[in-house]
Every structure is written in C-alpha cells, then in structure tokens.
Amino acid sequence: MSDDRVPVLAAGCVLWRPAVSGHGIEIALVHRPKYDDWSHPKGKRKRGETAEACALREVLEETGQRCELGARLPTVRYTVDGRPKEVTYWTARALSGTFTPSREVDALLWLPPTPARARLTMPRDRELLDTAVAASRH
C-alpha cells in the first residue's frame, strides 16, 4: 500500500463529568484555533502506542484532565487531505486536572449534552456524542 492509502490512526474520547449543578452530565469540548472548530479531544497515535494509551494521553494533553475510559464507541473514518483517517473513541469520565490553553487547544468548554451537540462543528462529532449519551443511559 502506498503511504497515502495507509490510514492515519488516532484516538480520542467523549469526555464527561457529573454536572456541577448535580443534575446530569457535562461534555468537554475543545476549540482548535488552527481549524477554528469545536470537537472532542483526540489525536494521532505515536509509533507503538495503543489506541487506549493514545486516547488517555490526548485527553490529558488537550484538556488537562486525567480520565478513566468507559464504553468503546464506533470508530470514525474520514479523509484528511486525501488520506484516510481512523479515530478510535471511548466515553471517558474526567477524574481530575486543570486546563491550560495551548497553541493546539485554546479553549475548553463543559456543556450539557444538548448545548454541546449544538456547539460541535462536525456532524460526525454530533453522531458520536449521541452514541455516547445513549450508551451512558444503559
């Protein structure tokens, strides 16, 4: 296979925490200034890194949160600059940490699922959120 057909492997999470109000949950969304979009924390896997380790590392790097992985979510496949990309996702409960803005992620928002869904830029991220919320109800 030529390099441009080998998928870029990445991993991420639909990160959540119990709502500060005590009712329901809040979803973490990250803003990436390079793309001016709102998305779930995710990133490319390093050589030899498992998808699970990548998801945990990316959540920590992008949100400052340590988390615990929950349910596996569907793998999202799409094309970036003509190259296939595969992102493995989990639900993840935030445990602790503090957000620090960076060049890669300049803002973090915690929103209830419905406003979070409206804020997400890409339809595939909204579908992932819907799946994560449905999984959390079972």
Side-chain angles (χ1 to χ4, degrees):
M1 249 203 275
S2 66
D3 268 359
D4 63 345
R5 302 304 335 143
V6 175
V8 173
L9 299 178
C13 294
V14 175
L15 184 66
W16 66 275
R17 69 181 182 193
V20 176
S21 68
H23 303 286
I25 62 170
E26 294 174 333
I27 305 295
L29 301 183
V30 295
H31 181 260
R32 302 179 305 164
K34 179 178 177 182
Y35 303 104
D36 190 25
D37 70 352
W38 289 94
S39 66
H40 302 293
K42 66 179 178 301
K44 293 181 193 139
R45 286 170 55 182
K46 295 182 175 178
R47 187 182 309 274
E49 185 177 45
T50 65
E52 292 91 340
C54 175
L56 292 169
R57 176 180 56 76
E58 287 292 338
V59 165
L60 183 59
E61 286 177 6
E62 294 191 356
T63 70
Q65 292 290 311
R66 283 170 196 71
C67 67
E68 116 187 302
L69 297 181
R72 173 89 184 260
L73 295 169
T75 297
V76 178
R77 293 175 174 84
Y78 54 99
T79 304
V80 177
D81 297 327
R83 188 157 175 210
K85 186 169 187 174
E86 293 182 7
V87 189
T88 307
Y89 281 99
W90 285 264
T91 62
R93 181 179 177 146
L95 301 174
S96 65
T98 305
F99 174 70
T100 304
S102 67
R103 277 196 346 230
E104 189 179 353
V105 173
D106 63 353
L108 170 70
L109 274 182
W110 288 96
L111 296 170
T114 300
R117 188 181 197 286
R119 181 65 64 107
L120 285 162
T121 304
M122 300 301 288
R124 63 178 171 257
D125 287 336
R126 292 192 282 274
E127 291 168 19
L128 200 62
L129 176 59
D130 293 345
T131 303
V133 169
S136 74
R137 290 192 178 125
H138 297 298

